[in-house]
């Protein structure tokens, strides 16, 4: 893999605006080698969802609504620290942010239309139900068995 990859697409032609991403790097907890205490490999990526102009207004409203529990003052934060190299963590964080936004801005699913049950099937079910009831009714007598 060479260098930072291009813009991270959210969906269609909308991508994460590089200029609006706020990066913060800190020391990562967790595994690492001798180098681990000196390199800031944990990445925190912040994206001001409330102020962004990069998303279509409809998407923005949807995202603000769906990610409400994750936002702090309209800002969405994603952390990544699983890789030992900073730029791989940057990649991971950016991809995560893009997919979060893709999910949050997706159009609501079409409402489900109930299927129409053919009349024959319903009648057959009722017939079988009646028959079963008769069978069981026939077993009620005290002298049976």
């Amino acid at each position: 893999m060479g260098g930072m990859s291009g813009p991270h697409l959210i969906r269609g032609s909308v991508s994460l605006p590089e200029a609006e991403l706020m990066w913060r790097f800190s020391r990562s907890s967790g595994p690492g080698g001798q180098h681990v205490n000196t390199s800031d490999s944990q990445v925190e990526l912040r994206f001001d969802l409330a102020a962004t102009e990069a998303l279509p207004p409809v998407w923005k409203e949807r995202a603000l609504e769906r990610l409400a529990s994750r936002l702090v003052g309209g800002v969405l934060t994603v952390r990544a620290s699983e890789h030992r190299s900073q730029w791989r963590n940057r990649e991971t964080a950016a991809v995560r942010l893009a997919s979060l936004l893709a999910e949050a801005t997706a159009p609501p699913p079409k409402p489900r239309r109930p299927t129409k049950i053919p009349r024959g099937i319903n009648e057959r079910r009722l017939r079988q139900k009646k028959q079963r009831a008769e069978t069981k009714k026939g077993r009620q007598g005290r002298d049976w068995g």
Side-chain angles (χ1 to χ4, degrees):
M1 296 168 123
M4 286 289 283
S5 71
H8 289 277
L9 283 179
I10 298 175
R11 212 174 49 248
S13 58
V14 181
S15 59
L16 283 179
E18 203 57 59
E20 293 183 31
L21 300 181
M22 298 168 278
W23 297 94
R24 239 178 64 203
F25 307 103
S26 53
R27 305 226 171 112
S28 193
S29 62
Q34 295 153 326
H35 190 51
V36 72
N37 297 330
T38 55
S39 63
D40 293 340
S41 61
Q42 172 169 294
V43 171
E44 190 180 282
L45 172 56
R46 298 170 61 208
F47 177 62
D48 195 339
L49 188 56
T52 187
E53 294 295 314
L55 298 178
V58 190
W59 285 26
K60 190 162 135 180
E61 274 168 42
R62 246 184 243 154
L64 283 169
E65 204 173 297
R66 291 190 188 160
L67 297 172
S69 59
R70 287 199 55 156
L71 297 175
V72 182
V75 177
L76 181 62
T77 307
V78 177
R79 268 195 201 89
S81 59
E82 50 268 36
H83 300 295
R84 282 181 51 185
S85 93
Q86 188 190 90
W87 83 262
R88 279 180 65 196
N89 278 333
R90 287 176 69 146
E91 281 289 289
T92 309
V95 167
R96 233 180 250 167
L97 183 65
S99 62
L100 253 176
L101 288 175
E103 252 172 64
T105 56
K110 292 209 162 52
R112 179 183 170 278
R113 284 183 47 207
T115 48
K116 182 109 173 64
I117 297 170
R119 218 170 94 199
I121 288 180
N122 217 2
E123 283 173 1
R124 193 173 68 209
R125 181 180 63 86
L126 292 175
R127 258 205 315 280
Q128 287 176 339
K129 221 171 130 158
K130 252 197 188 72
Q131 218 171 356
R132 188 98 187 110
E134 289 297 315
T135 308
K136 289 189 170 189
K137 206 177 174 130
R139 294 178 188 159
Q140 271 182 358
R142 279 267 164 258
D143 54 314
W144 190 83

